Amino acid sequence: MNEQFKNVDLVYLDELKVEAERAADHFSKDGNTHSDGLRIFECAHSLKVYCYGYGNQLVDTWFCKHRSCPICQWRKSRRYCSRMHELLNQNPSLLEGKWLYLTLTVRHCPIDELRSTVNHMNQAFRRLMNRDFWKKNVAGGIRFIELSEAGLETECAHPHFHCLLLVSPSMYEGTNYVSEEQWSKEWRRALQTYYSPIVNSKRLKGTDQELRDQIISYTHYSMKPTEIAFDQRWFLVTSHEMRCLRLVEPFGVIRTMLSELDGSSLFEAMEEQETIREENDASVHTWNGTEKKYRPD
């Protein structure tokens, strides 16, 4: 066991492990990906749980770190949310700024064209960033790629972008305000397509704490574990098509600030976790594949 997480709901971890087993089963039934399946099957198989304080717990386990593993996707989202907390702690002026949560979509694409579709979306996003209105009003942000099934169209997928944007006050509500209709026009122009894509724009607002909570919440939402498709072909083809593609991309001042984090919060967290291990006894919970639950040994 070489990694950990704090205050995890073991019931939710049960659900993630069930999803991970479905992903592993899909991979294991194909000779080309059988080893991927075995790797995911072993992910978080046994947990060492340290209880401390009032209902708190630290869990040590082994993660497979496979990008198609729901448990590891969830772990990655928690780690990125921690980075965002550290970013806001070390740059409190960010909570005085104006933020937008922007979703940019395209039409469903055939699953075997997913990679080329995402590459086209990436090129379109770069064109969008080069537009004058963007350069004047968007200081930076983070772009997330999310993939979902296309309803009843089993041979299609629905890739889309979620974007956290730090923008100028006049873009929030003023002379440079951009409506959803205008965002759609700009995104259509960047995509160089004939149809009007669906776009959603939401302003984040409230007190400093409320704004912080929204930024963290949308970061977590944008990186949430993907529900594993029941259709094996859909899962295997999309996993192959998405291989090695960057799913999270910071840019502008946010990218610079993230790169300059001093890691002090991480160091303090590691020291705290070591203290918890020294001062508390651990119980071991092992995955029961028949009951689909973690059971204490």
PDB file of all heavy atoms in Angstrom, residues 136-171:
ATOM      1  N   LYS A 136      -8.966  39.985 -24.763  1.00  0.00           N
ATOM      2  CA  LYS A 136      -9.207  41.185 -23.963  1.00  0.00           C
ATOM      3  C   LYS A 136      -9.874  40.881 -22.629  1.00  0.00           C
ATOM      4  O   LYS A 136      -9.706  41.632 -21.661  1.00  0.00           O
ATOM      5  CB  LYS A 136     -10.102  42.154 -24.745  1.00  0.00           C
ATOM      6  CG  LYS A 136      -9.423  42.786 -25.954  1.00  0.00           C
ATOM      7  CD  LYS A 136     -10.397  43.701 -26.684  1.00  0.00           C
ATOM      8  CE  LYS A 136      -9.749  44.340 -27.913  1.00  0.00           C
ATOM      9  NZ  LYS A 136     -10.714  45.191 -28.656  1.00  0.00           N
ATOM     10  N   ASN A 137     -10.617  39.768 -22.558  1.00  0.00           N
ATOM     11  CA  ASN A 137     -11.490  39.574 -21.401  1.00  0.00           C
ATOM     12  C   ASN A 137     -11.271  38.297 -20.599  1.00  0.00           C
ATOM     13  O   ASN A 137     -11.762  38.194 -19.488  1.00  0.00           O
ATOM     14  CB  ASN A 137     -12.959  39.605 -21.870  1.00  0.00           C
ATOM     15  CG  ASN A 137     -13.333  40.934 -22.478  1.00  0.00           C
ATOM     16  OD1 ASN A 137     -13.414  41.933 -21.771  1.00  0.00           O
ATOM     17  ND2 ASN A 137     -13.557  40.953 -23.777  1.00  0.00           N
ATOM     18  N   VAL A 138     -10.560  37.321 -21.137  1.00  0.00           N
ATOM     19  CA  VAL A 138     -10.336  36.062 -20.412  1.00  0.00           C
ATOM     20  C   VAL A 138      -8.877  36.022 -19.968  1.00  0.00           C
ATOM     21  O   VAL A 138      -7.965  35.931 -20.792  1.00  0.00           O
ATOM     22  CB  VAL A 138     -10.674  34.841 -21.274  1.00  0.00           C
ATOM     23  CG1 VAL A 138     -10.438  33.558 -20.473  1.00  0.00           C
ATOM     24  CG2 VAL A 138     -12.123  34.904 -21.763  1.00  0.00           C
ATOM     25  N   ALA A 139      -8.673  36.091 -18.641  1.00  0.00           N
ATOM     26  CA  ALA A 139      -7.309  36.109 -18.114  1.00  0.00           C
ATOM     27  C   ALA A 139      -6.697  34.711 -18.054  1.00  0.00           C
ATOM     28  O   ALA A 139      -5.481  34.542 -18.161  1.00  0.00           O
ATOM     29  CB  ALA A 139      -7.303  36.741 -16.720  1.00  0.00           C
ATOM     30  N   GLY A 140      -7.527  33.705 -17.876  1.00  0.00           N
ATOM     31  CA  GLY A 140      -7.025  32.338 -17.778  1.00  0.00           C
ATOM     32  C   GLY A 140      -8.131  31.410 -17.333  1.00  0.00           C
ATOM     33  O   GLY A 140      -9.280  31.822 -17.142  1.00  0.00           O
ATOM     34  N   GLY A 141      -7.789  30.158 -17.161  1.00  0.00           N
ATOM     35  CA  GLY A 141      -8.798  29.198 -16.732  1.00  0.00           C
ATOM     36  C   GLY A 141      -8.297  27.770 -16.856  1.00  0.00           C
ATOM     37  O   GLY A 141      -7.103  27.514 -17.011  1.00  0.00           O
ATOM     38  N   ILE A 142      -9.250  26.846 -16.803  1.00  0.00           N
ATOM     39  CA  ILE A 142      -8.958  25.421 -16.949  1.00  0.00           C
ATOM     40  C   ILE A 142      -9.999  24.818 -17.869  1.00  0.00           C
ATOM     41  O   ILE A 142     -11.200  25.064 -17.711  1.00  0.00           O
ATOM     42  CB  ILE A 142      -8.986  24.683 -15.594  1.00  0.00           C
ATOM     43  CG1 ILE A 142      -8.103  25.385 -14.569  1.00  0.00           C
ATOM     44  CG2 ILE A 142      -8.546  23.230 -15.761  1.00  0.00           C
ATOM     45  CD1 ILE A 142      -8.226  24.808 -13.177  1.00  0.00           C
ATOM     46  N   ARG A 143      -9.524  24.023 -18.819  1.00  0.00           N
ATOM     47  CA  ARG A 143     -10.432  23.337 -19.746  1.00  0.00           C
ATOM     48  C   ARG A 143     -10.419  21.842 -19.433  1.00  0.00           C
ATOM     49  O   ARG A 143      -9.359  21.226 -19.342  1.00  0.00           O
ATOM     50  CB  ARG A 143      -9.990  23.567 -21.189  1.00  0.00           C
ATOM     51  CG  ARG A 143     -10.991  23.073 -22.231  1.00  0.00           C
ATOM     52  CD  ARG A 143     -10.320  22.911 -23.570  1.00  0.00           C
ATOM     53  NE  ARG A 143      -9.342  21.831 -23.534  1.00  0.00           N
ATOM     54  CZ  ARG A 143      -8.348  21.698 -24.407  1.00  0.00           C
ATOM     55  NH1 ARG A 143      -8.165  22.592 -25.341  1.00  0.00           N
ATOM     56  NH2 ARG A 143      -7.515  20.677 -24.318  1.00  0.00           N
ATOM     57  N   PHE A 144     -11.601  21.262 -19.282  1.00  0.00           N
ATOM     58  CA  PHE A 144     -11.754  19.844 -19.002  1.00  0.00           C
ATOM     59  C   PHE A 144     -12.473  19.173 -20.173  1.00  0.00           C
ATOM     60  O   PHE A 144     -13.425  19.734 -20.717  1.00  0.00           O
ATOM     61  CB  PHE A 144     -12.594  19.613 -17.738  1.00  0.00           C
ATOM     62  CG  PHE A 144     -12.125  20.372 -16.522  1.00  0.00           C
ATOM     63  CD1 PHE A 144     -12.577  21.666 -16.269  1.00  0.00           C
ATOM     64  CD2 PHE A 144     -11.242  19.792 -15.621  1.00  0.00           C
ATOM     65  CE1 PHE A 144     -12.173  22.358 -15.140  1.00  0.00           C
ATOM     66  CE2 PHE A 144     -10.821  20.480 -14.487  1.00  0.00           C
ATOM     67  CZ  PHE A 144     -11.285  21.764 -14.246  1.00  0.00           C
ATOM     68  N   ILE A 145     -12.053  17.979 -20.540  1.00  0.00           N
ATOM     69  CA  ILE A 145     -12.760  17.190 -21.544  1.00  0.00           C
ATOM     70  C   ILE A 145     -13.590  16.142 -20.820  1.00  0.00           C
ATOM     71  O   ILE A 145     -13.088  15.415 -19.963  1.00  0.00           O
ATOM     72  CB  ILE A 145     -11.793  16.480 -22.509  1.00  0.00           C
ATOM     73  CG1 ILE A 145     -10.956  17.492 -23.282  1.00  0.00           C
ATOM     74  CG2 ILE A 145     -12.569  15.590 -23.482  1.00  0.00           C
ATOM     75  CD1 ILE A 145      -9.946  16.845 -24.218  1.00  0.00           C
ATOM     76  N   GLU A 146     -14.860  16.066 -21.166  1.00  0.00           N
ATOM     77  CA  GLU A 146     -15.722  15.017 -20.625  1.00  0.00           C
ATOM     78  C   GLU A 146     -16.315  14.232 -21.788  1.00  0.00           C
ATOM     79  O   GLU A 146     -16.636  14.793 -22.839  1.00  0.00           O
ATOM     80  CB  GLU A 146     -16.841  15.596 -19.757  1.00  0.00           C
ATOM     81  CG  GLU A 146     -17.684  14.515 -19.096  1.00  0.00           C
ATOM     82  CD  GLU A 146     -18.765  15.074 -18.182  1.00  0.00           C
ATOM     83  OE1 GLU A 146     -18.985  16.292 -18.189  1.00  0.00           O
ATOM     84  OE2 GLU A 146     -19.397  14.275 -17.472  1.00  0.00           O
ATOM     85  N   LEU A 147     -16.475  12.933 -21.581  1.00  0.00           N
ATOM     86  CA  LEU A 147     -17.037  12.053 -22.606  1.00  0.00           C
ATOM     87  C   LEU A 147     -18.224  11.318 -22.015  1.00  0.00           C
ATOM     88  O   LEU A 147     -18.141  10.785 -20.907  1.00  0.00           O
ATOM     89  CB  LEU A 147     -15.985  11.048 -23.082  1.00  0.00           C
ATOM     90  CG  LEU A 147     -16.452  10.018 -24.120  1.00  0.00           C
ATOM     91  CD1 LEU A 147     -16.780  10.709 -25.433  1.00  0.00           C
ATOM     92  CD2 LEU A 147     -15.400   8.947 -24.324  1.00  0.00           C
ATOM     93  N   SER A 148     -19.316  11.281 -22.743  1.00  0.00           N
ATOM     94  CA  SER A 148     -20.490  10.532 -22.296  1.00  0.00           C
ATOM     95  C   SER A 148     -21.085   9.778 -23.470  1.00  0.00           C
ATOM     96  O   SER A 148     -20.746  10.016 -24.632  1.00  0.00           O
ATOM     97  CB  SER A 148     -21.528  11.478 -21.671  1.00  0.00           C
ATOM     98  OG  SER A 148     -21.920  12.471 -22.590  1.00  0.00           O
ATOM     99  N   GLU A 149     -21.983   8.860 -23.142  1.00  0.00           N
ATOM    100  CA  GLU A 149     -22.667   8.107 -24.189  1.00  0.00           C
ATOM    101  C   GLU A 149     -23.659   9.015 -24.902  1.00  0.00           C
ATOM    102  O   GLU A 149     -24.133  10.008 -24.354  1.00  0.00           O
ATOM    103  CB  GLU A 149     -23.377   6.898 -23.594  1.00  0.00           C
ATOM    104  CG  GLU A 149     -22.449   5.875 -22.967  1.00  0.00           C
ATOM    105  CD  GLU A 149     -23.189   4.710 -22.364  1.00  0.00           C
ATOM    106  OE1 GLU A 149     -23.610   3.817 -23.135  1.00  0.00           O
ATOM    107  OE2 GLU A 149     -23.350   4.689 -21.124  1.00  0.00           O
ATOM    108  N   ALA A 150     -23.998   8.633 -26.137  1.00  0.00           N
ATOM    109  CA  ALA A 150     -24.896   9.452 -26.959  1.00  0.00           C
ATOM    110  C   ALA A 150     -26.300   8.867 -26.968  1.00  0.00           C
ATOM    111  O   ALA A 150     -26.870   8.552 -28.009  1.00  0.00           O
ATOM    112  CB  ALA A 150     -24.350   9.554 -28.379  1.00  0.00           C
ATOM    113  N   GLY A 151     -26.852   8.694 -25.779  1.00  0.00           N
ATOM    114  CA  GLY A 151     -28.207   8.179 -25.685  1.00  0.00           C
ATOM    115  C   GLY A 151     -28.334   6.781 -26.271  1.00  0.00           C
ATOM    116  O   GLY A 151     -27.565   5.877 -25.947  1.00  0.00           O
ATOM    117  N   LEU A 152     -29.282   6.617 -27.169  1.00  0.00           N
ATOM    118  CA  LEU A 152     -29.537   5.318 -27.794  1.00  0.00           C
ATOM    119  C   LEU A 152     -28.610   5.034 -28.964  1.00  0.00           C
ATOM    120  O   LEU A 152     -28.630   3.942 -29.522  1.00  0.00           O
ATOM    121  CB  LEU A 152     -31.000   5.242 -28.261  1.00  0.00           C
ATOM    122  CG  LEU A 152     -32.057   5.372 -27.154  1.00  0.00           C
ATOM    123  CD1 LEU A 152     -33.458   5.351 -27.754  1.00  0.00           C
ATOM    124  CD2 LEU A 152     -31.906   4.266 -26.114  1.00  0.00           C
ATOM    125  N   GLU A 153     -27.792   6.021 -29.325  1.00  0.00           N
ATOM    126  CA  GLU A 153     -26.881   5.840 -30.461  1.00  0.00           C
ATOM    127  C   GLU A 153     -25.621   5.122 -29.966  1.00  0.00           C
ATOM    128  O   GLU A 153     -24.632   5.748 -29.606  1.00  0.00           O
ATOM    129  CB  GLU A 153     -26.529   7.195 -31.077  1.00  0.00           C
ATOM    130  CG  GLU A 153     -27.735   7.959 -31.609  1.00  0.00           C
ATOM    131  CD  GLU A 153     -27.339   9.318 -32.176  1.00  0.00           C
ATOM    132  OE1 GLU A 153     -26.595   9.340 -33.173  1.00  0.00           O
ATOM    133  OE2 GLU A 153     -27.756  10.327 -31.603  1.00  0.00           O
ATOM    134  N   THR A 154     -25.649   3.798 -29.970  1.00  0.00           N
ATOM    135  CA  THR A 154     -24.575   2.998 -29.376  1.00  0.00           C
ATOM    136  C   THR A 154     -23.270   3.079 -30.154  1.00  0.00           C
ATOM    137  O   THR A 154     -22.225   2.690 -29.632  1.00  0.00           O
ATOM    138  CB  THR A 154     -25.001   1.526 -29.263  1.00  0.00           C
ATOM    139  OG1 THR A 154     -25.353   1.032 -30.564  1.00  0.00           O
ATOM    140  CG2 THR A 154     -26.192   1.383 -28.325  1.00  0.00           C
ATOM    141  N   GLU A 155     -23.305   3.558 -31.394  1.00  0.00           N
ATOM    142  CA  GLU A 155     -22.076   3.688 -32.174  1.00  0.00           C
ATOM    143  C   GLU A 155     -21.561   5.119 -32.175  1.00  0.00           C
ATOM    144  O   GLU A 155     -20.675   5.470 -32.951  1.00  0.00           O
ATOM    145  CB  GLU A 155     -22.302   3.216 -33.615  1.00  0.00           C
ATOM    146  CG  GLU A 155     -22.443   1.709 -33.755  1.00  0.00           C
ATOM    147  CD  GLU A 155     -21.176   0.964 -33.334  1.00  0.00           C
ATOM    148  OE1 GLU A 155     -20.088   1.313 -33.832  1.00  0.00           O
ATOM    149  OE2 GLU A 155     -21.277   0.045 -32.493  1.00  0.00           O
ATOM    150  N   CYS A 156     -22.130   5.949 -31.280  1.00  0.00           N
ATOM    151  CA  CYS A 156     -21.725   7.359 -31.210  1.00  0.00           C
ATOM    152  C   CYS A 156     -21.330   7.733 -29.778  1.00  0.00           C
ATOM    153  O   CYS A 156     -21.675   7.043 -28.817  1.00  0.00           O
ATOM    154  CB  CYS A 156     -22.860   8.274 -31.679  1.00  0.00           C
ATOM    155  SG  CYS A 156     -23.204   8.167 -33.458  1.00  0.00           S
ATOM    156  N   ALA A 157     -20.598   8.833 -29.662  1.00  0.00           N
ATOM    157  CA  ALA A 157     -20.172   9.358 -28.359  1.00  0.00           C
ATOM    158  C   ALA A 157     -20.414  10.863 -28.329  1.00  0.00           C
ATOM    159  O   ALA A 157     -20.567  11.506 -29.385  1.00  0.00           O
ATOM    160  CB  ALA A 157     -18.698   9.050 -28.110  1.00  0.00           C
ATOM    161  N   HIS A 158     -20.427  11.404 -27.124  1.00  0.00           N
ATOM    162  CA  HIS A 158     -20.669  12.839 -26.955  1.00  0.00           C
ATOM    163  C   HIS A 158     -19.525  13.485 -26.173  1.00  0.00           C
ATOM    164  O   HIS A 158     -19.560  13.578 -24.940  1.00  0.00           O
ATOM    165  CB  HIS A 158     -21.988  13.067 -26.222  1.00  0.00           C
ATOM    166  CG  HIS A 158     -22.305  14.509 -25.972  1.00  0.00           C
ATOM    167  ND1 HIS A 158     -22.336  15.458 -26.973  1.00  0.00           N
ATOM    168  CD2 HIS A 158     -22.585  15.177 -24.812  1.00  0.00           C
ATOM    169  CE1 HIS A 158     -22.632  16.630 -26.456  1.00  0.00           C
ATOM    170  NE2 HIS A 158     -22.779  16.491 -25.151  1.00  0.00           N
ATOM    171  N   PRO A 159     -18.479  13.937 -26.872  1.00  0.00           N
ATOM    172  CA  PRO A 159     -17.399  14.672 -26.192  1.00  0.00           C
ATOM    173  C   PRO A 159     -17.788  16.136 -26.029  1.00  0.00           C
ATOM    174  O   PRO A 159     -18.471  16.707 -26.889  1.00  0.00           O
ATOM    175  CB  PRO A 159     -16.222  14.517 -27.156  1.00  0.00           C
ATOM    176  CG  PRO A 159     -16.870  14.439 -28.510  1.00  0.00           C
ATOM    177  CD  PRO A 159     -18.199  13.749 -28.305  1.00  0.00           C
ATOM    178  N   HIS A 160     -17.365  16.752 -24.936  1.00  0.00           N
ATOM    179  CA  HIS A 160     -17.642  18.175 -24.733  1.00  0.00           C
ATOM    180  C   HIS A 160     -16.629  18.757 -23.762  1.00  0.00           C
ATOM    181  O   HIS A 160     -15.956  18.027 -23.022  1.00  0.00           O
ATOM    182  CB  HIS A 160     -19.070  18.409 -24.231  1.00  0.00           C
ATOM    183  CG  HIS A 160     -19.475  17.550 -23.078  1.00  0.00           C
ATOM    184  ND1 HIS A 160     -19.800  16.214 -23.208  1.00  0.00           N
ATOM    185  CD2 HIS A 160     -19.614  17.820 -21.751  1.00  0.00           C
ATOM    186  CE1 HIS A 160     -20.117  15.708 -22.031  1.00  0.00           C
ATOM    187  NE2 HIS A 160     -20.004  16.654 -21.129  1.00  0.00           N
ATOM    188  N   PHE A 161     -16.523  20.078 -23.776  1.00  0.00           N
ATOM    189  CA  PHE A 161     -15.610  20.800 -22.898  1.00  0.00           C
ATOM    190  C   PHE A 161     -16.378  21.436 -21.746  1.00  0.00           C
ATOM    191  O   PHE A 161     -17.469  21.989 -21.947  1.00  0.00           O
ATOM    192  CB  PHE A 161     -14.896  21.937 -23.648  1.00  0.00           C
ATOM    193  CG  PHE A 161     -13.853  21.490 -24.627  1.00  0.00           C
ATOM    194  CD1 PHE A 161     -13.642  22.222 -25.799  1.00  0.00           C
ATOM    195  CD2 PHE A 161     -13.060  20.380 -24.397  1.00  0.00           C
ATOM    196  CE1 PHE A 161     -12.675  21.837 -26.713  1.00  0.00           C
ATOM    197  CE2 PHE A 161     -12.088  19.981 -25.297  1.00  0.00           C
ATOM    198  CZ  PHE A 161     -11.898  20.714 -26.467  1.00  0.00           C
ATOM    199  N   HIS A 162     -15.799  21.382 -20.556  1.00  0.00           N
ATOM    200  CA  HIS A 162     -16.202  22.228 -19.439  1.00  0.00           C
ATOM    201  C   HIS A 162     -15.036  23.172 -19.182  1.00  0.00           C
ATOM    202  O   HIS A 162     -13.874  22.741 -19.143  1.00  0.00           O
ATOM    203  CB  HIS A 162     -16.478  21.404 -18.182  1.00  0.00           C
ATOM    204  CG  HIS A 162     -17.672  20.510 -18.285  1.00  0.00           C
ATOM    205  ND1 HIS A 162     -18.939  20.967 -18.549  1.00  0.00           N
ATOM    206  CD2 HIS A 162     -17.789  19.153 -18.139  1.00  0.00           C
ATOM    207  CE1 HIS A 162     -19.780  19.958 -18.576  1.00  0.00           C
ATOM    208  NE2 HIS A 162     -19.113  18.842 -18.331  1.00  0.00           N
ATOM    209  N   CYS A 163     -15.323  24.459 -18.986  1.00  0.00           N
ATOM    210  CA  CYS A 163     -14.256  25.445 -18.816  1.00  0.00           C
ATOM    211  C   CYS A 163     -14.544  26.347 -17.613  1.00  0.00           C
ATOM    212  O   CYS A 163     -15.640  26.924 -17.511  1.00  0.00           O
ATOM    213  CB  CYS A 163     -14.125  26.333 -20.060  1.00  0.00           C
ATOM    214  SG  CYS A 163     -13.994  25.426 -21.611  1.00  0.00           S
ATOM    215  N   LEU A 164     -13.578  26.443 -16.721  1.00  0.00           N
ATOM    216  CA  LEU A 164     -13.616  27.436 -15.641  1.00  0.00           C
ATOM    217  C   LEU A 164     -12.819  28.634 -16.121  1.00  0.00           C
ATOM    218  O   LEU A 164     -11.615  28.512 -16.388  1.00  0.00           O
ATOM    219  CB  LEU A 164     -12.996  26.868 -14.373  1.00  0.00           C
ATOM    220  CG  LEU A 164     -13.915  26.211 -13.346  1.00  0.00           C
ATOM    221  CD1 LEU A 164     -13.074  25.548 -12.247  1.00  0.00           C
ATOM    222  CD2 LEU A 164     -14.871  27.224 -12.726  1.00  0.00           C
ATOM    223  N   LEU A 165     -13.457  29.778 -16.252  1.00  0.00           N
ATOM    224  CA  LEU A 165     -12.796  30.951 -16.825  1.00  0.00           C
ATOM    225  C   LEU A 165     -12.753  32.106 -15.832  1.00  0.00           C
ATOM    226  O   LEU A 165     -13.781  32.475 -15.237  1.00  0.00           O
ATOM    227  CB  LEU A 165     -13.540  31.418 -18.088  1.00  0.00           C
ATOM    228  CG  LEU A 165     -13.740  30.398 -19.209  1.00  0.00           C
ATOM    229  CD1 LEU A 165     -14.512  31.037 -20.351  1.00  0.00           C
ATOM    230  CD2 LEU A 165     -12.412  29.844 -19.688  1.00  0.00           C
ATOM    231  N   LEU A 166     -11.577  32.704 -15.672  1.00  0.00           N
ATOM    232  CA  LEU A 166     -11.408  33.941 -14.916  1.00  0.00           C
ATOM    233  C   LEU A 166     -11.496  35.087 -15.912  1.00  0.00           C
ATOM    234  O   LEU A 166     -10.667  35.188 -16.822  1.00  0.00           O
ATOM    235  CB  LEU A 166     -10.055  33.948 -14.209  1.00  0.00           C
ATOM    236  CG  LEU A 166      -9.688  35.208 -13.425  1.00  0.00           C
ATOM    237  CD1 LEU A 166     -10.650  35.419 -12.259  1.00  0.00           C
ATOM    238  CD2 LEU A 166      -8.248  35.123 -12.921  1.00  0.00           C
ATOM    239  N   VAL A 167     -12.522  35.938 -15.780  1.00  0.00           N
ATOM    240  CA  VAL A 167     -12.800  36.937 -16.816  1.00  0.00           C
ATOM    241  C   VAL A 167     -12.818  38.346 -16.219  1.00  0.00           C
ATOM    242  O   VAL A 167     -12.853  38.539 -15.007  1.00  0.00           O
ATOM    243  CB  VAL A 167     -14.146  36.648 -17.513  1.00  0.00           C
ATOM    244  CG1 VAL A 167     -14.139  35.258 -18.137  1.00  0.00           C
ATOM    245  CG2 VAL A 167     -15.320  36.795 -16.543  1.00  0.00           C
ATOM    246  N   SER A 168     -12.826  39.331 -17.121  1.00  0.00           N
ATOM    247  CA  SER A 168     -12.882  40.724 -16.698  1.00  0.00           C
ATOM    248  C   SER A 168     -14.281  41.064 -16.201  1.00  0.00           C
ATOM    249  O   SER A 168     -15.270  40.460 -16.646  1.00  0.00           O
ATOM    250  CB  SER A 168     -12.524  41.645 -17.866  1.00  0.00           C
ATOM    251  OG  SER A 168     -13.494  41.528 -18.900  1.00  0.00           O
ATOM    252  N   PRO A 169     -14.417  42.039 -15.292  1.00  0.00           N
ATOM    253  CA  PRO A 169     -15.745  42.414 -14.781  1.00  0.00           C
ATOM    254  C   PRO A 169     -16.705  42.841 -15.882  1.00  0.00           C
ATOM    255  O   PRO A 169     -17.896  42.549 -15.808  1.00  0.00           O
ATOM    256  CB  PRO A 169     -15.428  43.584 -13.839  1.00  0.00           C
ATOM    257  CG  PRO A 169     -14.024  43.329 -13.394  1.00  0.00           C
ATOM    258  CD  PRO A 169     -13.332  42.740 -14.594  1.00  0.00           C
ATOM    259  N   SER A 170     -16.192  43.500 -16.924  1.00  0.00           N
ATOM    260  CA  SER A 170     -17.077  43.978 -17.987  1.00  0.00           C
ATOM    261  C   SER A 170     -17.637  42.827 -18.817  1.00  0.00           C
ATOM    262  O   SER A 170     -18.670  42.966 -19.475  1.00  0.00           O
ATOM    263  CB  SER A 170     -16.324  44.948 -18.909  1.00  0.00           C
ATOM    264  OG  SER A 170     -15.231  44.306 -19.539  1.00  0.00           O
ATOM    265  N   MET A 171     -16.973  41.684 -18.803  1.00  0.00           N
ATOM    266  CA  MET A 171     -17.499  40.511 -19.506  1.00  0.00           C
ATOM    267  C   MET A 171     -18.563  39.827 -18.656  1.00  0.00           C
ATOM    268  O   MET A 171     -19.444  39.135 -19.164  1.00  0.00           O
ATOM    269  CB  MET A 171     -16.371  39.530 -19.813  1.00  0.00           C
ATOM    270  CG  MET A 171     -16.740  38.456 -20.806  1.00  0.00           C
ATOM    271  SD  MET A 171     -15.336  37.359 -21.116  1.00  0.00           S
ATOM    272  CE  MET A 171     -15.919  36.508 -22.579  1.00  0.00           C
TER     273      MET A 171
END
